[in-house]
Amino acid sequence: MVELKNEFLTVKISETGAEIHSVKDNDGKEFIWTADPDVWPMHAPMVFPICGGLKDDKYIVHGKEYSLGKHGFARFMKFDVEKADKNEAVFLLTATDETRKQYPFEFELRVIYTLSEKTLSVRYNVTNKSDVDMYYAVGGHEGYLCEDGIENYDVVFEKPESLKSRVLHGNLLADEYTPITENSNVLSLKYDYFTIDALVFQGINSKKVTLKHKTKPGKITVSFDGFNCLMLWTKPGAKYICIEPWTSSPDVEESDYDFTKKYCITRLAPNAVNNNVHTITFEE
């Protein structure tokens, strides 16, 4: 476990999946879901090289078919720690024989955590080491602890939004939408929203959201400029909410399996490098 620490926060990150396991303030208050195995046994997994699921768990790229499970493989793999000090940690994942069976590219994925005052920055630095164009998606899946249950919390958007959630049928997006808000920047969380699965927002105007208790002090702000999809997810009755900035989204029901046509998929030329950054600010 790698630890970042300053006068405000202590952050613990696992080498497995480069996953945040804990963020605590100086009073010992925990902000991250505790990974209760009877509810949801993860804290804050990252998703790579896909976000969400694929139709029939398969895709076609450069003329060949591959099989890849929901959210990809990175969250289960051990990363190398390239750097670790009190303010920054760099985790590196590279292609292996096992990843090549599922994903035919040579890559370097660096997850770079930087702690500055009350803000944790999460940078996904991806390098294409292949001699062909590489296609991928990446994103966060952080679970935030809601000790009083999510219905005592609001998600406040940066701008007024008329939110429509893309309907999920299993792991796939249907060509249907559920209206959630109308010209409002406040989304009051309800467990009913998650009886099927998640809220899926594509193409919203806001580039940050804030999780706030309705009556108690404290808030968590997630900024996600450069991400094309925002997911909100929990299990009914669970005491966490995942706020998930993704560069892409799950497959659509009518997918023809062509990986290059996925919603907002990132194409990276040989030897090119791309960065996506989201930040998380924890305030009392």
Side-chain angles (χ1 to χ4, degrees):
M1 200 73 67
V2 172
E3 183 176 282
L4 307 181
K5 187 176 178 64
N6 64 14
E7 60 198 290
F8 302 106
L9 298 171
T10 300
V11 181
K12 294 184 178 180
I13 307 162
S14 172
E15 294 177 24
T16 300
E19 180 184 3
I20 302 167
H21 276 215
S22 173
V23 178
K24 289 183 178 179
D25 66 15
N26 283 345
D27 294 325
K29 178 183 177 180
E30 178 64 77
F31 295 100
I32 298 295
W33 168 242
T34 53
D36 182 342
D38 294 328
V39 182
W40 180 52
M42 305 193 84
H43 304 268
M46 62 157 298
V47 297
F48 174 89
I50 58 170
C51 300
L54 297 171
K55 185 178 179 180
D56 301 321
D57 289 336
K58 72 179 184 181
Y59 66 98
I60 296 170
V61 68
H62 296 312
K64 294 185 178 180
E65 182 180 303
Y66 299 88
S67 180
L68 190 58
K70 186 176 182 179
H71 297 325
F73 47 73
R75 58 190 172 137
F76 301 118
M77 298 186 69
K78 185 175 181 181
F79 284 63
D80 294 325
V81 180
E82 281 195 320
K83 175 184 177 181
D85 60 33
K86 290 191 297 182
N87 299 313
E88 187 169 81
V90 181
F91 297 83
L92 172 65
L93 183 68
T94 56
T96 66
D97 288 343
E98 189 59 34
T99 67
R100 293 181 190 103
K101 295 175 185 176
Q102 308 167 67
Y103 184 68
F105 301 106
E106 301 298 316
F107 65 87
E108 292 179 348
L109 166 63
R110 287 177 174 84
V111 185
I112 303 165
Y113 291 99
T114 305
L115 183 62
S116 177
E117 296 187 341
K118 296 180 180 181
T119 296
L120 181 65
S121 169
V122 187
R123 178 183 297 273
Y124 307 109
N125 174 278
V126 181
T127 304
N128 180 10
K129 306 297 286 187
S130 308
D131 57 6
V132 295
D133 286 349
M134 170 178 154
Y135 298 85
Y136 76 93
V138 70
H141 199 307
E142 291 88 358
Y144 300 103
L145 189 60
C146 299
E147 291 183 328
D148 296 336
I150 69 164
E151 295 192 348
N152 286 295
Y153 292 79
D154 295 327
V155 174
V156 181
F157 286 71
E158 175 188 24
K159 300 176 181 180
E161 302 278 357
S162 294
L163 294 172
K164 297 186 299 179
S165 177
R166 190 89 181 256
V167 173
L168 278 163
H169 290 166
N171 287 331
L172 304 179
L173 295 176
D175 192 19
E176 319 171 35
Y177 295 84
T178 300
I180 303 296
T181 66
E182 183 66 36
N183 194 32
S184 174
N185 68 334
V186 178
L187 170 58
S188 293
L189 293 175
K190 302 175 184 178
Y191 284 115
D192 284 351
Y193 290 142
F194 307 100
T195 52
I196 296 178
D197 191 47
L199 295 179
V200 183
F201 301 126
Q202 296 173 327
I204 60 174
N205 296 314
S206 299
K207 300 302 179 185
K208 65 180 178 181
V209 296
T210 299
L211 178 66
K212 298 175 66 174
H213 196 284
K214 291 180 183 293
T215 60
K216 296 180 181 179
K219 58 184 180 179
I220 299 171
T221 297
V222 181
S223 299
F224 47 89
D225 194 12
F227 292 80
N228 303 299
C229 182
L230 181 69
M231 307 282 288
L232 300 178
W233 176 77
T234 190
K235 291 186 174 181
K239 295 185 177 182
Y240 68 87
I241 185 71
C242 289
I243 300 175
E244 309 170 29
W246 292 356
T247 60
S248 185
S249 59
D251 250 356
V252 293
E253 288 184 308
E254 63 270 23
S255 170
D256 64 0
Y257 308 108
D258 185 342
F259 204 49
T260 69
K261 295 179 182 176
K262 276 182 62 62
Y263 173 81
C264 290
I265 197 76
T266 300
R267 181 180 65 84
L268 203 57
N271 300 311
V273 181
N274 191 54
N275 287 276
N276 294 94
V277 184
H278 74 280
T279 64
I280 312 163
T281 301
F282 303 87
E283 298 180 83
E284 287 301 308

Short mmCIF file of all heavy atoms in Angstrom, two decimals, residues 1-6 9-15 19 21-24 81 83-89 91 113 115 120:
data_model
loop_
_atom_site.label_atom_id
_atom_site.label_comp_id
_atom_site.label_asym_id
_atom_site.label_seq_id
_atom_site.Cartn_x
_atom_site.Cartn_y
_atom_site.Cartn_z
N MET A 1 0.85 -1.19 0.00
CA MET A 1 0.00 0.00 0.00
C MET A 1 0.89 1.24 0.00
O MET A 1 1.78 1.38 0.82
CB MET A 1 -0.91 0.00 1.22
CG MET A 1 -2.11 0.87 1.10
SD MET A 1 -3.38 0.21 -0.02
CE MET A 1 -3.94 -1.25 0.85
N VAL A 2 0.62 2.15 -0.93
CA VAL A 2 1.35 3.41 -1.02
C VAL A 2 0.54 4.49 -0.31
O VAL A 2 -0.68 4.54 -0.43
CB VAL A 2 1.57 3.80 -2.49
CG1 VAL A 2 2.16 5.20 -2.61
CG2 VAL A 2 2.49 2.79 -3.18
N GLU A 3 1.23 5.34 0.47
CA GLU A 3 0.54 6.37 1.24
C GLU A 3 0.99 7.76 0.81
O GLU A 3 2.18 8.05 0.73
CB GLU A 3 0.82 6.18 2.72
CG GLU A 3 0.08 7.18 3.62
CD GLU A 3 0.29 6.91 5.09
OE1 GLU A 3 -0.37 5.99 5.63
OE2 GLU A 3 1.12 7.62 5.71
N LEU A 4 0.01 8.61 0.53
CA LEU A 4 0.24 10.04 0.35
C LEU A 4 -0.30 10.75 1.59
O LEU A 4 -1.33 10.37 2.14
CB LEU A 4 -0.49 10.56 -0.89
CG LEU A 4 -0.25 9.85 -2.23
CD1 LEU A 4 -1.05 10.53 -3.34
CD2 LEU A 4 1.21 9.80 -2.58
N LYS A 5 0.41 11.79 2.00
CA LYS A 5 -0.01 12.43 3.25
C LYS A 5 0.42 13.89 3.27
O LYS A 5 1.54 14.23 2.89
CB LYS A 5 0.59 11.71 4.46
CG LYS A 5 0.08 12.18 5.82
CD LYS A 5 0.66 11.33 6.93
CE LYS A 5 0.22 11.80 8.31
NZ LYS A 5 -1.24 11.67 8.51
N ASN A 6 -0.51 14.76 3.70
CA ASN A 6 -0.16 16.15 3.97
C ASN A 6 -0.90 16.60 5.22
O ASN A 6 -1.43 15.77 5.98
CB ASN A 6 -0.45 17.04 2.75
CG ASN A 6 -1.94 17.11 2.39
OD1 ASN A 6 -2.81 16.71 3.16
ND2 ASN A 6 -2.23 17.65 1.21
N LEU A 9 -4.94 15.53 4.55
CA LEU A 9 -5.45 14.23 4.14
C LEU A 9 -4.38 13.15 4.18
O LEU A 9 -3.18 13.43 3.99
CB LEU A 9 -6.01 14.29 2.71
CG LEU A 9 -7.19 15.22 2.44
CD1 LEU A 9 -7.44 15.31 0.94
CD2 LEU A 9 -8.45 14.74 3.17
N THR A 10 -4.83 11.90 4.40
CA THR A 10 -3.99 10.72 4.24
C THR A 10 -4.68 9.80 3.24
O THR A 10 -5.84 9.44 3.42
CB THR A 10 -3.80 9.97 5.57
OG1 THR A 10 -3.17 10.85 6.51
CG2 THR A 10 -2.94 8.74 5.39
N VAL A 11 -3.96 9.47 2.17
CA VAL A 11 -4.51 8.67 1.07
C VAL A 11 -3.73 7.37 0.98
O VAL A 11 -2.50 7.37 0.97
CB VAL A 11 -4.40 9.43 -0.27
CG1 VAL A 11 -4.98 8.61 -1.41
CG2 VAL A 11 -5.08 10.79 -0.17
N LYS A 12 -4.45 6.25 0.90
CA LYS A 12 -3.80 4.95 0.74
C LYS A 12 -4.25 4.34 -0.59
O LYS A 12 -5.45 4.28 -0.88
CB LYS A 12 -4.13 4.03 1.91
CG LYS A 12 -3.53 4.51 3.22
CD LYS A 12 -3.78 3.53 4.36
CE LYS A 12 -3.12 4.02 5.64
NZ LYS A 12 -3.35 3.08 6.77
N ILE A 13 -3.26 3.87 -1.36
CA ILE A 13 -3.51 3.35 -2.71
C ILE A 13 -2.83 1.99 -2.84
O ILE A 13 -1.66 1.83 -2.49
CB ILE A 13 -2.95 4.31 -3.78
CG1 ILE A 13 -3.49 5.73 -3.55
CG2 ILE A 13 -3.31 3.82 -5.18
CD1 ILE A 13 -2.70 6.81 -4.26
N SER A 14 -3.57 1.03 -3.37
CA SER A 14 -3.05 -0.33 -3.53
C SER A 14 -2.31 -0.48 -4.85
O SER A 14 -2.69 0.11 -5.86
CB SER A 14 -4.20 -1.33 -3.47
OG SER A 14 -3.75 -2.63 -3.79
N GLU A 15 -1.27 -1.32 -4.85
CA GLU A 15 -0.59 -1.65 -6.11
C GLU A 15 -1.51 -2.47 -7.02
O GLU A 15 -1.35 -2.44 -8.24
CB GLU A 15 0.69 -2.44 -5.81
CG GLU A 15 1.75 -1.63 -5.08
CD GLU A 15 2.97 -2.45 -4.73
OE1 GLU A 15 3.23 -3.47 -5.39
OE2 GLU A 15 3.68 -2.07 -3.77
N GLU A 19 -5.58 1.20 -7.09
CA GLU A 19 -6.90 1.56 -6.56
C GLU A 19 -6.80 2.29 -5.23
O GLU A 19 -6.13 1.83 -4.30
CB GLU A 19 -7.74 0.29 -6.37
CG GLU A 19 -9.13 0.55 -5.83
CD GLU A 19 -9.91 -0.72 -5.55
OE1 GLU A 19 -9.35 -1.82 -5.71
OE2 GLU A 19 -11.09 -0.61 -5.16
N HIS A 21 -7.78 3.03 -1.70
CA HIS A 21 -8.46 2.25 -0.66
C HIS A 21 -8.99 3.13 0.46
O HIS A 21 -9.93 2.73 1.14
CB HIS A 21 -7.51 1.21 -0.09
CG HIS A 21 -7.44 -0.06 -0.89
ND1 HIS A 21 -7.29 -1.29 -0.32
CD2 HIS A 21 -7.54 -0.27 -2.22
CE1 HIS A 21 -7.28 -2.22 -1.27
NE2 HIS A 21 -7.43 -1.63 -2.43
N SER A 22 -8.38 4.29 0.65
CA SER A 22 -8.79 5.12 1.79
C SER A 22 -8.37 6.57 1.56
O SER A 22 -7.28 6.83 1.02
CB SER A 22 -8.15 4.60 3.08
OG SER A 22 -8.40 5.46 4.17
N VAL A 23 -9.25 7.48 1.95
CA VAL A 23 -8.90 8.90 2.08
C VAL A 23 -9.48 9.36 3.40
O VAL A 23 -10.70 9.34 3.59
CB VAL A 23 -9.46 9.76 0.92
CG1 VAL A 23 -9.11 11.23 1.15
CG2 VAL A 23 -8.92 9.29 -0.41
N LYS A 24 -8.61 9.77 4.32
CA LYS A 24 -9.06 10.23 5.63
C LYS A 24 -8.55 11.62 5.91
O LYS A 24 -7.45 11.99 5.48
CB LYS A 24 -8.56 9.29 6.73
CG LYS A 24 -9.23 7.92 6.76
CD LYS A 24 -8.71 7.08 7.92
CE LYS A 24 -9.39 5.72 7.98
NZ LYS A 24 -8.87 4.90 9.11
N VAL A 81 5.26 0.32 -9.02
CA VAL A 81 5.31 1.66 -8.44
C VAL A 81 6.58 2.34 -8.95
O VAL A 81 7.69 1.98 -8.56
CB VAL A 81 5.29 1.61 -6.91
CG1 VAL A 81 5.35 3.02 -6.33
CG2 VAL A 81 4.04 0.89 -6.40
N LYS A 83 7.12 5.67 -8.71
CA LYS A 83 7.48 6.76 -7.81
C LYS A 83 6.50 6.76 -6.65
O LYS A 83 5.32 6.48 -6.83
CB LYS A 83 7.40 8.11 -8.54
CG LYS A 83 7.63 9.33 -7.65
CD LYS A 83 7.43 10.63 -8.42
CE LYS A 83 7.59 11.84 -7.52
NZ LYS A 83 7.37 13.12 -8.24
N ALA A 84 7.01 7.08 -5.47
CA ALA A 84 6.13 7.19 -4.31
C ALA A 84 6.78 8.10 -3.28
O ALA A 84 7.81 7.76 -2.71
CB ALA A 84 5.85 5.83 -3.70
N ASP A 85 6.21 9.27 -3.08
CA ASP A 85 6.61 10.13 -1.98
C ASP A 85 5.34 10.65 -1.31
O ASP A 85 4.24 10.18 -1.59
CB ASP A 85 7.55 11.25 -2.43
CG ASP A 85 6.95 12.17 -3.48
OD1 ASP A 85 5.71 12.40 -3.45
OD2 ASP A 85 7.68 12.68 -4.34
N LYS A 86 5.46 11.61 -0.43
CA LYS A 86 4.30 12.06 0.34
C LYS A 86 3.25 12.76 -0.52
O LYS A 86 2.08 12.79 -0.16
CB LYS A 86 4.75 13.00 1.46
CG LYS A 86 5.51 12.32 2.58
CD LYS A 86 5.68 13.24 3.76
CE LYS A 86 6.51 14.47 3.41
NZ LYS A 86 6.73 15.34 4.60
N ASN A 87 3.69 13.32 -1.65
CA ASN A 87 2.78 14.13 -2.44
C ASN A 87 2.36 13.51 -3.77
O ASN A 87 1.37 13.94 -4.35
CB ASN A 87 3.43 15.50 -2.73
CG ASN A 87 3.73 16.27 -1.47
OD1 ASN A 87 2.88 16.37 -0.60
ND2 ASN A 87 4.94 16.79 -1.37
N GLU A 88 3.11 12.50 -4.24
CA GLU A 88 2.80 11.94 -5.55
C GLU A 88 3.19 10.48 -5.63
O GLU A 88 4.21 10.07 -5.08
CB GLU A 88 3.51 12.73 -6.65
CG GLU A 88 3.09 12.32 -8.06
CD GLU A 88 3.60 13.26 -9.13
OE1 GLU A 88 4.79 13.12 -9.51
OE2 GLU A 88 2.83 14.14 -9.56
N ALA A 89 2.38 9.71 -6.34
CA ALA A 89 2.68 8.30 -6.60
C ALA A 89 2.36 8.01 -8.06
O ALA A 89 1.34 8.47 -8.59
CB ALA A 89 1.87 7.38 -5.69
N PHE A 91 1.96 4.85 -10.74
CA PHE A 91 1.77 3.41 -10.91
C PHE A 91 1.80 3.10 -12.41
O PHE A 91 1.18 3.80 -13.21
CB PHE A 91 0.43 2.97 -10.33
CG PHE A 91 0.30 3.18 -8.85
CD1 PHE A 91 -0.06 4.41 -8.33
CD2 PHE A 91 0.55 2.13 -7.96
CE1 PHE A 91 -0.18 4.60 -6.97
CE2 PHE A 91 0.43 2.31 -6.60
CZ PHE A 91 0.06 3.54 -6.09
N TYR A 113 -1.16 9.82 -9.11
CA TYR A 113 -1.91 10.48 -8.04
C TYR A 113 -1.06 11.60 -7.46
O TYR A 113 0.09 11.37 -7.06
CB TYR A 113 -2.25 9.49 -6.93
CG TYR A 113 -3.26 8.44 -7.32
CD1 TYR A 113 -2.85 7.16 -7.70
CD2 TYR A 113 -4.62 8.70 -7.30
CE1 TYR A 113 -3.77 6.18 -8.05
CE2 TYR A 113 -5.55 7.73 -7.65
CZ TYR A 113 -5.11 6.48 -8.01
OH TYR A 113 -6.03 5.51 -8.36
N LEU A 115 -1.28 14.72 -4.54
CA LEU A 115 -2.03 15.29 -3.42
C LEU A 115 -1.55 16.72 -3.18
O LEU A 115 -0.37 16.96 -2.95
CB LEU A 115 -1.82 14.45 -2.16
CG LEU A 115 -2.58 14.88 -0.90
CD1 LEU A 115 -4.09 14.82 -1.13
CD2 LEU A 115 -2.19 14.00 0.29
N LEU A 120 -7.05 15.64 -4.47
CA LEU A 120 -6.34 14.51 -5.04
C LEU A 120 -6.57 14.52 -6.54
O LEU A 120 -7.71 14.43 -7.01
CB LEU A 120 -6.85 13.21 -4.42
CG LEU A 120 -6.17 11.92 -4.90
CD1 LEU A 120 -4.69 11.89 -4.49
CD2 LEU A 120 -6.89 10.70 -4.35
#
